[in-house]
Amino acid sequence: MSLTTPIAQALCAALELGPGQAGEIERLLSTPPNLALGDFAFPCFQLARQLRSAPPKIAAELAAKIPTGGLISRATAAGPYVNFFLNRTAATRQVIGAVRTAADRYGASDDGAGRTMVVEFSSPNIAKPFHFGHLRSTNIGANLARLFEFAGWQVVRRNYLGDWGTQFGFVIYAWRRWGDEAALAARAIDYLVELYVRAYRESEQDPSIRDQARELFRRLEQGDAEIVPLWQKFRELSLAGFVRTYTRLAIGFDNFDGEAAASRNMDAVIRRFVTAGVAVESEGALVVPVADVIGRDIAPLMLRKSDGASTYAARDCAEAIERYSRYRFDGNIYVVSRQEDYFAQLFVALSKLGKAEGWPVDWPALCQNVSFGFVRGMSTRKGEAVWLEDVLDEARDRARRVREEKSAANPRSFPVLPTAELDAIGEGVGQAALLYFDVSSRRLSDVSFDWDTVLQFEGNTGPYLQYAHARMCGIFRRAGEQGLAAGDAPAAAVADEEWALVLCIREFPSAVQRACVGREPHEISRYLGSLASAFNGFYNNHMVLDPADPGTSAGRLALVGASRTVLANGLRLLGIRPLEVM
RNA sequence: GCGCCUGUAGCUCAACGGAUAGAGCACCGACCUUCUAAGUCGGGGGUUGCAGGUUCGAUUCCUGCCAGGCGCGCCA
């Protein structure tokens, strides 16, 4: 039972409402701005009209009718609010018990039980650099995938590689003209990017290069025996590079089928659009009009260009159809930035086909584009682009250096560590700084890349969270040495800092839910920041371990244990490793 | 022209339609002979882009401006 349920029930009784309305009352409860005012608040504004009375008067009358005892220790009116104070000891016992019971499933749910969610994310372009900006889709998608799994969904992670299209013509053109096996073997993906950039730049002076690139891509599409093996080789090399980066970020995919795979069914899908009468000829191209459905001036979805070449849109249609027939998904998320119009066109076009062909399920309505903000300061043209691998390396090195400096300055708190452990901590802390930076603003805000901000380890950062976790683990290690063990509830009166921590722990499941509903991983980072802050407040004001007082120690250890469980669960949702030693 | 997104402290960002708009960074000061100081506490800092509207109440919702970013039939 939730802490707020008894409050809602008491309010229902006082208002002479039926028990069926307790849920509605419970949703109206809010949190006072500070603990001194109360633990939960009921605003009386909305009742004023029905009861024909002033909110403060209603609040005063209600407060007088709330029976105390059980979880509720006191109810007082404060202006238009009825503020509730809980029995801290009983409530703390309840919250800690809930965390212990659920353990690493605390915060999880079965909301998505029996349903499948496809998350398409990262989707790098093989002929283009994988720079820091690509972390956005990659991280948001990975976070959403973990969140939906935590909420009970069956999740499919799709990396829709940009492995097809004219850009491959450029790469192949460059390879045939300047290609060097040794350089390819040594630098793989970086070298391919250089080749692409060189060919593309020269094509701006010499348009015939563009024509040759198009011709090479046409030969690739036709399965030319000389070209196809090159494409396969380049694709494999690039993919291997991406996978190395993904591994460092602890991100995995179920499937890497990209545009090349989608193009296999493309012609058949285009024929279906034509046969169904959904696609029409326009200015020599084949398009699906969507303005009639969307209701404004918007371009049609183009399936085939006037020169007869297919478009990425046709491949996306084919891929979506294939995807639904394979997974029968209940949700399909595309983590792609700033393409809202395009996805609107895509989903409407597919819906039209569905209506014309009489599909039993209007699954295009289950598809959603999850957009996100732009990373500023990452322009390839201006030469600002920063490779993600380089940022990871720098983060790791700095984290390692910071730890070494701490050992030198304060060996008592930061004992000198074996090299292997130092390396692991560096990698973990660096990765945490990066991943947390990425989710520390809302999905749709633009973010600025700045080395010092990204690699910051103090304040509201990934390392700050890991540090709190390491401290919790340190307390348990020390407790073991002193022969102290956790109890199941506080032994004495619950102090403000302990109580604030308990209330924060209780909030985790609703933070997870908000993150899922809003497709907003930032909810988790924000929550964890407040949790770590609450813990540090507690930590700095109360000694957990006191061999002379095993009772108090046991109660506080229980609280630290619950905090650690929640912090670790949250960190894992963000893909950050909860470190035991820092 | 048609659309989407964003304007909050010097900077980076928060704030279920609710009480005095909060954190971090930076700056100034305090705290390690007690569990990790990557921490904690205090201080200065704000006309929430502008103007209307809805509401008991608007940073939040609606309309119009202003500013910035991004996307719009033959790039993907």
Side-chain angles (χ1 to χ4, degrees):
Chain A
M1 182 165 70
S2 153
L3 291 186
T4 47
T5 305
I7 296 175
Q9 287 168 346
L11 279 167
C12 263
L15 288 164
E16 293 166 19
L17 297 170
Q21 285 168 282
E24 198 177 328
I25 296 291
E26 193 167 353
R27 274 190 292 279
L28 289 174
L29 292 174
S30 63
T31 312
N34 63 64
L35 274 185
L37 282 168
D39 303 323
F40 295 96
F42 180 71
C44 299
F45 305 103
Q46 294 182 11
L47 292 173
R49 190 167 295 158
Q50 301 167 37
L51 299 180
R52 297 179 186 216
S53 179
K57 196 172 171 219
I58 297 171
E61 286 166 5
L62 270 178
K65 284 192 205 165
I66 301 294
T68 55
L71 262 189
I72 301 170
S73 74
R74 191 153 59 91
T76 60
Y81 295 90
V82 184
N83 288 336
F84 294 84
F85 294 82
L86 297 192
N87 177 331
R88 291 183 176 185
T89 305
T92 299
R93 179 183 295 271
Q94 187 176 316
V95 170
I96 290 176
V99 176
R100 282 198 166 172
T101 302
D104 62 1
R105 297 279 302 156
Y106 180 71
S109 70
D110 56 3
D111 293 349
R115 292 190 287 170
T116 298
M117 177 69 78
V118 180
V119 184
E120 176 188 310
F121 64 106
S122 198
S123 306
N125 218 317
I126 279 183
K128 290 181 184 168
F130 195 81
H131 59 65
F132 187 82
H134 293 98
L135 179 60
R136 216 77 179 97
S137 170
T138 306
N139 196 35
I140 291 168
N143 283 329
L144 291 178
R146 284 184 293 255
L147 275 164
F148 281 107
E149 269 173 351
F150 207 49
W153 293 71
Q154 173 80 35
V155 172
V156 178
R157 292 163 168 85
R158 289 290 303 243
N159 192 329
Y160 186 60
L161 290 178
D163 59 1
W164 206 240
T166 315
Q167 82 253 15
F168 262 92
F170 280 95
V171 178
I172 291 165
Y173 169 86
W175 174 256
R176 283 159 48 115
R177 186 160 166 197
W178 305 298
D180 174 16
E181 287 286 355
L184 184 64
R187 293 185 290 131
I189 189 166
D190 292 347
Y191 183 62
L192 288 175
V193 170
E194 280 168 30
L195 284 177
Y196 169 76
V197 169
R198 185 169 175 189
Y200 190 82
R201 287 217 177 116
E202 297 215 358
S203 76
E204 287 170 343
Q205 308 298 322
D206 178 3
S208 77
I209 294 179
R210 192 173 186 79
D211 296 336
Q212 293 180 62
R214 284 206 173 120
E215 172 57 24
L216 284 165
F217 177 61
R218 194 164 301 139
R219 283 171 63 186
L220 176 59
E221 274 195 299
Q222 286 160 359
D224 186 299
E226 185 195 345
I227 306 299
V228 169
L230 280 177
W231 170 80
Q232 281 173 335
K233 183 177 181 179
F234 295 158
R235 184 184 189 276
E236 277 166 26
L237 279 171
S238 293
L239 187 51
F242 293 145
V243 167
R244 267 199 303 279
T245 305
Y246 292 137
T247 303
R248 284 184 81 174
L249 297 173
I251 292 170
F253 293 90
D254 299 300
N255 188 301
F256 286 96
D257 285 348
E259 292 183 69
S263 70
R264 288 199 287 268
N265 304 313
M266 188 178 59
D267 290 335
V269 167
I270 289 176
R271 275 198 298 276
R272 280 169 66 181
F273 272 101
V274 173
T275 305
V278 170
V280 297
E281 291 281 338
S282 168
E283 297 173 30
L286 184 69
V287 302
V288 180
V290 294
D292 53 333
V293 175
I294 294 177
R296 64 179 165 86
D297 178 13
I298 184 169
L301 187 77
M302 185 181 296
L303 297 177
R304 202 154 53 204
K305 305 182 219 172
S306 53
D307 69 358
S310 64
T311 63
Y312 61 95
R315 292 192 279 278
D316 276 354
C317 286
E319 161 60 24
I321 288 169
E322 167 71 18
R323 190 178 292 184
Y324 184 74
S325 74
R326 180 166 175 180
Y327 300 112
R328 304 280 159 180
F329 54 72
D330 303 280
N332 179 28
I333 286 175
Y334 295 84
V335 185
V336 177
S337 176
R338 302 294 172 80
Q339 301 283 340
E340 289 88 350
D341 275 4
Y342 170 65
F343 281 104
Q345 294 168 323
L346 179 67
F347 301 152
V348 166
L350 286 166
S351 235
K352 279 190 159 184
L353 182 64
K355 263 194 197 95
E357 293 187 345
W359 296 350
V361 178
D362 180 28
W363 58 260
L366 303 171
C367 297
Q368 183 189 16
N369 168 220
V370 169
S371 186
F372 52 88
F374 196 71
V375 179
R376 287 187 295 251
M378 206 42 56
S379 160
T380 311
R381 257 184 312 136
K382 293 181 190 165
E384 296 172 331
V386 176
W387 267 228
L388 185 57
E389 280 283 327
D390 292 343
V391 185
L392 276 167
D393 288 348
E394 180 65 20
R396 176 198 60 206
D397 294 345
R398 279 204 208 185
R400 218 191 115 114
R401 206 153 55 235
V402 166
R403 183 58 176 74
E404 284 176 315
E405 284 163 7
K406 286 180 187 304
S407 288
N410 185 0
R412 188 159 172 277
S413 293
F414 298 93
V416 175
L417 297 169
T419 307
E421 200 172 346
L422 189 58
D423 287 344
I425 289 171
E427 179 77 20
V429 170
Q431 183 241 32
L434 228 73
L435 293 182
Y436 191 82
F437 169 82
D438 189 72
V439 281
S440 61
S441 53
R442 283 173 306 165
R443 186 160 53 74
L444 285 168
S445 336
D446 290 346
V447 297
S448 303
F449 178 85
D450 168 71
W451 282 100
D452 289 332
T453 308
V454 174
L455 300 183
Q456 198 171 7
F457 301 151
E458 292 170 12
N460 184 20
T461 64
Y464 173 80
L465 304 183
Q466 286 178 311
Y467 191 68
H469 186 266
R471 276 178 151 178
M472 295 168 185
C473 293
I475 291 172
F476 274 94
R477 277 194 304 275
R478 191 60 62 97
E481 292 164 13
Q482 298 181 354
L484 295 165
D488 53 17
V494 178
D496 282 351
E497 293 85 359
E498 297 174 290
W499 181 232
L501 186 52
V502 169
L503 290 174
C504 192
I505 287 170
R506 171 191 167 273
E507 279 295 313
F508 183 58
S510 61
V512 172
Q513 200 181 15
R514 280 199 306 279
C516 275
V517 171
R519 281 87 168 105
E520 183 54 281
H522 168 70
E523 292 285 356
I524 302 300
S525 69
R526 193 161 68 82
Y527 170 80
L528 293 179
S530 68
L531 177 68
S533 175
F535 171 75
N536 283 327
F538 158 72
Y539 180 90
N540 279 278
N541 282 284
H542 304 281
M543 279 300 290
V544 174
L545 304 176
D546 180 2
D549 186 353
T552 299
S553 301
R556 290 191 173 147
L557 271 172
L559 181 57
V560 175
S563 306
R564 182 175 64 171
T565 297
V566 178
L567 184 51
N569 289 1
L571 283 171
R572 279 193 292 268
L573 280 177
L574 295 181
I576 297 174
R577 210 148 42 90
L579 298 175
E580 295 190 4
V581 175
M582 265 178 81

